[in-house]
């Protein structure tokens, strides 16, 4: 059993030793971590396959490859990112040299989910270390093979005083959350996000909350339906739909609904065959509890394609549901599985009625060739981030901050944004001594006009 308070106290002492402030030390940690991950590439594929039959191809594109890119990016740019950034002086600081220093927060807690169990645990860890923090990571208890491998990799590459993976479920997470942290980075459900936010509030700890929600996908009548169906068959059923930014439901212009459904059925069969259970490319649901949760959602739904469920093997076929009510089970919560409800709209008011029925989603997708409609849609609705004419791909560009808004999350990461997330911006003004303008000193009589002139000059 890990003694959490003792490990954290050692990490606190190590952080105070200033060793993690040394950029070359951080670089050496990141390089060793990369080496260890590269040498475990096959082991990572095999762990994810054992956990939920995730195909090697999907693990590469959505976990391993992204982690390696993030490591390469941090290793290449760390010296630049950590340099104090000079900013212009202001009237009040002049004469001065003003800088923003990137300061590590200190001791970080990272809690990860199961759906991209390698990526969502290691990616925040990379940027926490790059920014000069120590970290305790709790990977998901539902992906035992991957979490065990993560623990091993971290153990081999980082001293316990810098980073450690502590495996466990709710009890462990609760004990971790009871400690005092300098930053908490949580990825998971909205309901647990609230627990994390409450625990953080006790010590005024800053948090990033990467949560979920019901992400809509709007399709208007100007599109090439075959292309749209092809892209949706990829983005919705990747990872068996267990993706925080998967399209949760479709809202399509009513006059093209039928041909779209036919096109989507054809594409799903092309991807996974007539019996997706046999396909080596279609993962399983993470556990029986989630299969039963999804099965329950289908109870009051009109299934028009798929719908096969095998609880024993955690299998749910790619499934299409026709026109559910907004108060049906499937439209009440985030689906997080291979089930896609298809709703329709005719007017802007129909769209508003559906989208504003829910909290601000993590993603929104719009398929259209009508620029005015696209612009209006992405400006009008509030959501974490999104894509025009495809699904998910915004996640794969480290130059785009990734995070939710409102109930779908707080804060963002990916690439440099991740480094910034784990760094406090410390503003420092170094006053010059070569002059000491007397205008600010009392008595003020007769000085206001000069002050106003200076104010104008500097603003
Ligand atoms: P979850 O909230 O059940 O679990 C996430 C983590 O929290 C796990 O490590 C778990 O052990 C821990 N946890 C669970 N109950 C807890 C409690 N009571 N107190 C403290 N910690 C607790 O989420 P999940 O089922 O692993 O993942 C699915 C959810 O995560 C979905 O809602 C999905 O949208 C969301 N998600 C969001 C992102 C994102 O980047 N925004 C990415 C992946 C998943």
């Amino acid at each position: 059993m890990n003694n959490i308070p003792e490990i954290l106290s050692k990490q606190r002492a190590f952080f105070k030793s200033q060793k993690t402030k040394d950029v070359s030390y951080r670089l050496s940690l990141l390089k060793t971590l990369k080496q260890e991950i590269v040498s475990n590439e096959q082991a990572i594929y095999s762990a994810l396959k054992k956990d939920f039959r995730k195909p090697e191809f999907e693990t590469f594109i959505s976990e391993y490859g992204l982690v390696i890119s993030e490591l390469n990016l941090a290793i290449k740019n760390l010296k630049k990112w950590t340099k104090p950034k000079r900013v212009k002086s202001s009237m009040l600081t002049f004469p001065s040299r003003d800088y923003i220093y990137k300061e590590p927060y200190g001791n970080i807690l990272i809690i990860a989910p199961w759906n991209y169990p390698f990526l969502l645990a290691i990616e925040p860890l990379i940027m926490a270390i790059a920014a000069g923090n120590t970290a305790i990571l709790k990977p998901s208890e539902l992906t035992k093979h991957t979490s065990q491998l993560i623990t091993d990799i971290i153990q081999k590459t980082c001293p316990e005083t810098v980073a450690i993976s502590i495996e466990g479920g709710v009890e462990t997470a609760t004990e971790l959350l009871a400690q005092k942290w300098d930053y908490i980075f949580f990825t998971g459900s909205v309901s647990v996000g609230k627990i994390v936010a409450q625990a953080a509030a006790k010590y005024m700890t800053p948090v990033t909350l990467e949560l979920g929600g019901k992400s809509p996908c709007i399709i208007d009548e100007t599109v090439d339906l075959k292309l749209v169906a092809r892209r949706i068959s990829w983005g919705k059923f990747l990872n068996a739909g267990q993706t925080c930014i998967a399209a949760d439901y479709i809202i399509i212009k009513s006059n093209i609904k039928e041909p779209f459904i036919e096109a989507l059925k054809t594409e799903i069969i092309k991807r996974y065959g007539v019996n997706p259970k046999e396909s080596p490319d279609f993962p399983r649901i993470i556990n029986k509890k989630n299969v039963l949760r999804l099965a329950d959602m289908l109870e009051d739904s009109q299934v028009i394609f798929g719908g096969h469920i095998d609880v024993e093997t955690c299998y749910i076929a790619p499934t299409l549901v026709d026109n559910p009510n907004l108060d049906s089970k499937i439209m009440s919560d985030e689906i997080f599985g291979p089930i896609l409800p298809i709703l329709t709209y005719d007017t802007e008011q129909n769209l508003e009625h559906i989208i504003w029925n829910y909290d601000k989603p993590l993603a929104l997708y719009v398929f259209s060739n009508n620029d005015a409609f696209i612009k209006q849609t992405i400006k009008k609705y509030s959501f974490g981030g999104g894509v025009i004419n495809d699904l998910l791909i915004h996640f794969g560009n480290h130059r785009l901050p990734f995070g939710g808004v409102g109930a779908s999350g707080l804060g963002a990461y990916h690439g440099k944004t991740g480094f910034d997330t784990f760094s406090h911006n410390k503003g420092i003004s170094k006053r010059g001594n070569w002059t000491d303008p007397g205008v600010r000193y009392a008595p003020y009589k007769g000085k206001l006009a000069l002050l106003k002139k200076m104010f104008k000059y500097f603003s």
Side-chain angles (χ1 to χ4, degrees):
M1 269 300 277
N2 285 296
N3 184 334
I4 289 170
E6 191 183 317
I7 295 169
L8 179 57
S9 133
K10 283 186 190 158
Q11 289 202 344
R12 281 201 188 108
F14 190 73
F15 183 73
K16 284 185 184 139
S17 79
Q18 305 299 308
K19 180 81 178 156
T20 65
K21 304 264 175 82
D22 178 357
V23 175
S24 53
Y25 178 63
R26 298 182 207 172
L27 277 171
S28 75
L29 288 171
L30 294 174
K31 285 177 187 165
T32 324
L33 183 62
K34 182 181 161 189
Q35 246 170 20
E36 191 60 28
I37 290 174
V38 169
S39 65
N40 273 288
E41 182 175 351
Q42 286 308 322
I44 294 166
Y45 298 145
S46 124
L48 276 124
K49 187 157 274 175
K50 283 186 200 146
D51 281 329
F52 59 111
R53 258 192 62 172
K54 181 154 173 162
E56 186 171 322
F57 184 92
E58 287 195 7
T59 299
F60 178 82
I61 194 177
S62 68
E63 312 226 18
Y64 179 84
L66 291 172
V67 162
I68 296 296
S69 308
E70 200 79 351
L71 274 163
N72 288 341
L73 186 82
I75 291 168
K76 185 170 162 215
N77 292 292
L78 195 59
K79 285 195 174 135
K80 190 169 78 193
W81 291 349
T82 48
K83 262 203 193 122
K85 185 175 166 236
R86 176 114 188 245
V87 295
K88 270 174 72 178
S89 306
S90 77
M91 180 183 84
L92 285 175
T93 61
F94 179 84
S96 70
R97 283 167 178 267
D98 294 356
Y99 294 91
I100 300 169
Y101 282 78
K102 289 288 178 188
E103 179 185 83
Y105 277 102
N107 309 109
I108 311 270
L109 171 64
I110 298 168
I111 299 181
W114 55 263
N115 62 329
Y116 288 82
F118 188 71
L119 173 76
L120 299 176
I122 298 290
E123 186 175 346
L125 180 74
I126 292 167
M127 287 307 168
I129 291 176
N133 302 283
T134 72
I136 294 183
L137 161 71
K138 195 202 80 63
S140 174
E141 67 277 28
L142 302 188
T143 44
K144 290 203 164 40
H145 300 95
T146 310
S147 297
Q148 172 72 63
L149 186 58
I150 287 171
T151 304
D152 289 349
I153 289 173
I154 296 174
Q155 198 175 25
K156 282 189 193 139
T157 50
C158 299
E160 207 175 275
T161 46
V162 176
I164 183 171
S165 158
I166 297 183
E167 291 170 64
V170 177
E171 216 175 287
T172 307
T174 307
E175 191 184 351
L176 284 164
L177 284 172
Q179 314 300 314
K180 186 175 180 201
W181 301 92
D182 295 304
Y183 202 98
I184 300 175
F185 188 102
F186 172 79
T187 310
S189 58
V190 176
S191 56
V192 179
K194 288 179 186 168
I195 296 172
V196 172
Q198 272 175 5
K202 183 173 173 203
Y203 294 111
M204 299 289 277
T205 304
V207 282
T208 293
L209 300 173
E210 294 283 343
L211 310 176
K214 282 188 94 60
S215 298
C217 172
I218 303 163
I219 306 170
D220 81 358
E221 73 276 35
T222 63
V223 297
D224 168 352
L225 277 182
K226 220 173 145 192
L227 182 66
V228 174
R230 186 176 149 91
R231 290 179 176 173
I232 290 179
S233 74
W234 172 75
K236 174 66 189 185
F237 300 109
L238 181 92
N239 219 39
Q242 301 165 109
T243 302
C244 55
I245 47 170
D248 191 272
Y249 59 97
I250 303 281
I251 325 175
I252 190 163
K253 195 73 187 280
S254 64
N255 57 345
I256 54 162
K257 177 179 123 179
E258 293 309 327
F260 168 70
I261 289 173
E262 287 317 305
L264 188 53
K265 286 180 185 172
T266 307
E267 288 300 328
I268 295 171
I269 292 168
K270 270 194 204 164
R271 305 278 87 76
Y272 306 110
V274 281
N275 183 6
K277 201 174 178 187
E278 312 267 278
S279 165
D281 299 329
F282 189 65
R284 294 299 176 256
I285 304 305
I286 189 64
N287 59 14
K288 287 184 187 164
K289 190 175 155 200
N290 271 284
V291 178
L292 295 172
R293 177 184 66 78
L294 290 161
D296 185 50
M297 282 184 163
L298 282 181
E299 243 166 35
D300 61 352
S301 300
Q302 198 191 334
V303 172
I304 49 170
F305 184 77
H308 309 120
I309 297 174
D310 180 359
V311 182
E312 275 316 301
T313 59
C314 289
Y315 169 76
I316 297 190
T319 297
L320 306 180
V321 165
D322 191 24
N323 209 17
N325 291 328
L326 295 190
D327 57 6
S328 61
K329 284 182 186 165
I330 200 140
M331 290 308 291
S332 301
D333 271 318
E334 179 184 4
I335 297 172
F336 217 58
I339 304 172
L340 186 59
I342 299 166
L343 289 75
T344 56
Y345 78 97
D346 284 306
T347 64
E348 192 54 45
Q349 288 68 36
N350 298 151
L351 277 179
E352 286 174 8
H353 176 69
I354 298 170
I355 295 171
W356 284 340
N357 186 50
Y358 301 100
D359 283 327
K360 296 176 181 180
L362 184 57
L364 182 144
Y365 303 104
V366 53
F367 285 84
S368 170
N369 285 310
N370 175 345
D371 280 345
F373 177 68
I374 294 170
K375 268 193 199 139
Q376 175 192 306
T377 305
I378 59 175
K379 269 175 93 172
K380 179 172 188 174
Y381 300 105
S382 180
F383 53 96
V387 185
I388 298 155
N389 292 328
D390 208 338
L391 301 181
L392 316 187
I393 57 166
H394 61 308
F395 191 94
N397 183 353
H398 70 81
R399 294 169 199 88
L400 296 174
F402 179 84
V405 57
S408 59
L410 178 72
Y413 72 134
H414 282 193
K416 168 75 163 42
T417 309
F419 173 83
D420 290 339
T421 287
F422 288 110
S423 307
H424 162 61
N425 283 322
K426 191 189 250 177
I428 297 286
S429 188
K430 186 180 182 209
R431 179 67 112 178
N433 290 333
W434 57 271
T435 181
D436 192 27
V439 66
R440 69 174 159 157
Y441 298 108
Y444 303 130
K445 194 160 183 267
K447 290 181 178 171
L448 190 58
L450 177 61
L451 186 70
K452 283 183 176 173
K453 257 192 201 163
M454 286 171 68
F455 188 81
K456 229 176 168 178
Y457 176 79
F458 277 98
S459 51

